[in-house]
């Protein structure tokens, strides 16, 4: 029911607000974007919870995760679309790190570390960073993942969490992207 969904969202918001955590991982793509984005990354917890329930005009899923802002950047929430993409339940994801559960033998660790570094550096005028990584689902199947990351801020403008938007890419999605753009800063 819609009451139950609202109540669950309120409970999750209260848990995240109380824990005041965040971070995410991947490689920064400084200033340039791999794709033109129709969907802006949420910058507040309220926007995250609204965006978790609403699909875009294109009706595409919006898998998202919120992490702490301090190492090891534990996951504090994931939405339903993220659980479908990655194969983990919300309960399995919360408290783990994206590195622990999504990275594997073909994940470019340099790109992942660069993405984290880009989030930790306050860059004037750059609201989000992105990269493409090879990630692994819960069942071990790998997939190309276009990751966009940014900051969640409170009313005072202080960063409280990191947010990541994940998009599974097929081979067709990669054909128009140069190798330099695909693996930024490697």
């Amino acid at each position: 029911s819609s009451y139950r969904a609202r109540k669950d969202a309120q409970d999750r918001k209260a848990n995240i607000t109380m824990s005041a955590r965040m971070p995410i991982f991947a490689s920064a793509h400084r200033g340039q974007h791999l794709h033109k984005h129709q969907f802006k990354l949420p910058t507040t917890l309220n926007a995250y919870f609204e965006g978790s329930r609403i699909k875009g005009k294109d009706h595409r899923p919006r898998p998202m995760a919120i992490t702490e802002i301090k190492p090891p950047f534990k996951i504090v929430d994931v939405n339903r679309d993220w659980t479908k993409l990655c194969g983990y339940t919300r309960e399995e994801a919360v408290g783990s790190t994206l590195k622990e559960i999504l990275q594997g033998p073909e994940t470019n660790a340099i790109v992942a570390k660069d993405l984290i570094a880009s989030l930790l550096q306050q860059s004037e005028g750059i609201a989000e960073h992105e990269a493409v990584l090879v990630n692994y689902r819960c069942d071990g199947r790998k997939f190309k993942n276009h990751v966009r990351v940014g900051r969640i801020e409170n009313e005072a403008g202080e960063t409280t969490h990191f947010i990541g938007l994940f998009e599974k890419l097929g081979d067709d999605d990669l054909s128009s992207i140069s190798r330099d753009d695909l693996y930024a800063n490697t």
Side-chain angles (χ1 to χ4, degrees):
S1 84
S2 63
Y3 170 77
R4 175 101 174 134
R6 282 194 310 270
K7 180 72 173 135
D8 288 346
Q10 288 171 344
D11 290 345
R12 288 186 0 228
K13 182 178 176 182
N15 288 338
I16 290 171
T17 303
M18 288 181 358
S19 65
R21 307 174 179 186
M22 157 166 142
I24 255 193
F25 76 108
S27 166
H29 196 74
R30 304 201 196 290
Q32 299 176 345
H33 294 288
L34 298 174
H35 304 289
K36 293 215 180 241
H37 305 298
Q38 302 273 335
F39 179 74
K40 289 184 81 171
L41 280 177
T43 58
T44 66
L45 287 175
N46 284 338
Y48 163 75
F49 286 108
E50 279 183 32
S52 289
R53 294 189 307 269
I54 300 169
K55 296 208 185 305
K57 293 177 186 174
D58 56 6
H59 299 286
R60 295 177 71 167
R62 303 217 191 287
M64 291 186 271
I66 292 184
T67 68
E68 299 173 341
I69 56 171
K70 296 187 181 190
F73 310 110
K74 291 185 179 182
I75 298 168
V76 295
D77 196 40
V78 296
N79 68 2
R80 185 173 296 146
D81 289 336
W82 186 93
T83 64
K84 289 178 184 176
L85 173 65
C86 300
Y88 292 92
T89 65
R90 182 178 177 276
E91 292 74 22
E92 291 170 320
V94 171
S96 298
T97 68
L98 292 167
K99 179 180 180 179
E100 291 171 339
I101 62 177
L102 295 183
Q103 292 186 13
E106 292 185 40
T107 304
N108 186 325
I110 294 170
V111 171
K113 287 178 183 177
D114 282 351
L115 193 54
I116 293 171
S118 68
L119 273 175
L120 295 174
Q121 296 172 352
Q122 248 353 62
S123 299
E124 190 75 28
I126 300 177
E128 65 181 63
H129 305 273
E130 61 188 327
V132 173
L133 294 170
V134 173
N135 283 147
Y136 294 82
R137 289 178 37 85
C138 180
D139 60 12
R141 288 185 292 157
K142 67 182 177 181
F143 65 98
K144 294 250 192 227
N145 189 9
H146 177 209
V147 182
R148 292 172 47 208
V149 296
R151 296 176 183 86
I152 296 286
E153 297 179 344
N154 62 18
E155 296 79 24
E158 302 164 322
T159 300
T160 60
H161 298 84
F162 292 134
I163 185 165
L165 177 69
F166 303 81
E167 179 183 4
K168 180 180 177 185
L169 298 178
D171 291 336
D172 292 343
D173 296 316
L174 299 176
S175 62
S176 64
I177 303 170
S178 75
R179 182 163 178 77
D180 289 341
D181 284 344
L182 183 62
Y183 299 105
N185 302 319
T186 58

